[in-house]
Amino acid sequence: KLILRNEGLRLRLVELEHEILQYSSPFNETSIDCIDFSGSDSECNLKEWIIKNSQKPFELIETDLFYFCCIKFNDKEYGYYMKTHHIISDGWTCALLITEIHELYKNLKAGKIIEDKPNPSYIRYISEEQEYLNSEQAEKDRVFWHERLLPLPSAIDISDRVGNPYNIKADSIVLPFPEELCQKMISFRGTYKTSLYKLVFSALSIFIAKVTGTNDIILGGASHNRETDLQKKMAGMFVSTIPFRIEVNSYMAFNSLVEKIGDDINCII
């Protein structure tokens, strides 16, 4: 039902005359794997399996870009594993799918009939984007970004990469904040009517300005890019990386800098 109701999950890539295109594949009912981790050392084996399976890349051409399976913990407890390619999904989509899976399970358990009614289609969003690219608003936005970003500041690099500078392999780093710092951030947010995103973004701007010795920097920030209520119900890849041009004034109070950066973020998003 999940795959049937969310057309965006069925997007596939195809190569035609040396060009990569997308199309929505028809729904085909199929069974899913059920993997048994109920034996000894089950927790360790499950963690190893998740790591190994998550690192395994998808085949990209003419194949599904999602994988679901059922996991057996013991005779009474089961779970599920979900893996989707970033081409067809984002964090918001994952949350939508998890919510829908739980809702489907709850209804099945209650003996309710599950309708095949499709969710709002990502294909509609793609059509709207094509219309936008040929609109007057797109031209106005192009002028806006040129005025905001040009001339570009000098390039900066604070990474410690060695070897091939064109290597696009990426990784993530998780830096949990201590509880005491979290409470201070929450208190600051309430006092100055801002958000944790704007607060952390401001702190990052100051850090980069200090280590690079420049006060005019451009940072990339992520936006969920779902502007309408209908888009917020669509499974698909919406995330947009937005360039924020930040001028860090060393004489400005921190709360004033957060407010200024917050105004810039609001203006752009």
Side-chain angles (χ1 to χ4, degrees), residues 42-264:
S42 58
E43 184 175 346
C44 180
N45 292 336
L46 175 58
K47 288 181 179 179
E48 291 179 358
W49 180 87
I50 290 176
I51 292 173
K52 181 178 179 180
N53 201 67
S54 298
Q55 293 176 343
K56 181 181 178 181
F58 282 101
E59 295 290 337
L60 292 180
I61 304 299
E62 279 289 10
T63 187
D64 291 333
L65 297 175
F66 60 82
Y67 175 74
F68 296 89
C69 74
C70 176
I71 294 177
K72 179 180 179 181
F73 301 113
N74 54 56
D75 290 339
K76 296 183 178 181
E77 294 181 303
Y78 288 79
Y80 63 90
Y81 172 86
M82 177 179 74
K83 175 182 174 182
T84 58
H85 198 289
H86 220 329
I87 290 175
I88 65 167
S89 68
D90 52 22
W92 191 289
T93 294
C94 291
L96 287 176
L97 297 180
I98 291 171
T99 299
E100 188 168 358
I101 289 172
H102 292 184
E103 191 68 24
L104 287 169
Y105 175 79
K106 184 174 68 174
N107 289 336
L108 285 171
K109 189 176 181 181
K112 296 181 180 180
I113 298 175
I114 308 298
E115 297 181 0
D116 292 340
K117 183 179 179 181
N119 293 328
S121 174
Y122 184 72
I123 308 303
R124 174 173 177 170
Y125 167 72
I126 295 176
S127 299
E128 291 172 350
E129 284 291 281
Q130 291 297 323
E131 293 176 3
Y132 163 77
L133 291 175
N134 297 312
S135 69
E136 292 183 4
Q137 185 60 49
E139 183 57 32
K140 291 179 181 178
D141 290 344
R142 189 176 295 110
V143 172
F144 168 84
W145 284 111
H146 278 219
E147 292 177 348
R148 194 172 190 88
L149 299 178
L150 296 178
L152 293 173
S154 300
I156 57 176
D157 187 356
I158 62 171
S159 71
D160 57 356
R161 290 179 298 176
V162 295
N164 181 6
Y166 302 105
N167 187 354
I168 62 172
K169 184 178 180 181
D171 200 354
S172 61
I173 299 176
V174 178
L175 300 174
F177 293 141
E179 178 62 26
E180 182 179 356
L181 178 58
C182 287
Q183 293 304 319
K184 289 182 178 179
M185 293 168 64
I186 292 172
S187 176
F188 184 97
R189 176 188 64 182
T191 301
Y192 294 100
K193 310 302 180 185
T194 186
S195 68
L196 294 179
Y197 179 86
K198 295 171 184 176
L199 174 56
V200 173
F201 204 89
S202 300
L204 177 62
S205 301
I206 293 173
F207 168 76
I208 292 179
K210 284 188 174 182
V211 298
T212 61
T214 178
N215 292 332
D216 186 9
I217 57 179
I218 295 179
L219 297 178
S223 167
H224 62 65
N225 197 32
R226 296 169 185 258
E227 298 179 353
T228 68
D229 290 339
L230 199 64
Q231 290 174 358
K232 292 175 182 178
K233 299 176 182 179
M234 294 178 183
M237 173 56 184
F238 283 81
V239 170
S240 175
T241 302
I242 301 175
F244 294 98
R245 188 164 196 166
I246 309 295
E247 292 185 16
V248 180
N249 186 338
S250 58
Y251 296 101
M252 184 179 290
F254 180 69
N255 61 295
S256 298
L257 178 64
V258 173
E259 181 180 3
K260 179 179 180 299
I261 291 178
D263 290 342
D264 289 343

Side-chain angles (χ1 to χ4, degrees), residues 3-4 6-13 22-28 62-66 123:
I3 307 304
L4 172 63
N6 293 283
E7 187 177 18
L9 290 179
R10 303 199 304 273
L11 286 178
R12 287 190 175 190
L13 301 180
Q22 282 183 311
Y23 74 97
S24 176
S25 63
F27 171 73
N28 292 310
E62 279 289 10
T63 187
D64 291 333
L65 297 175
F66 60 82
I123 308 303

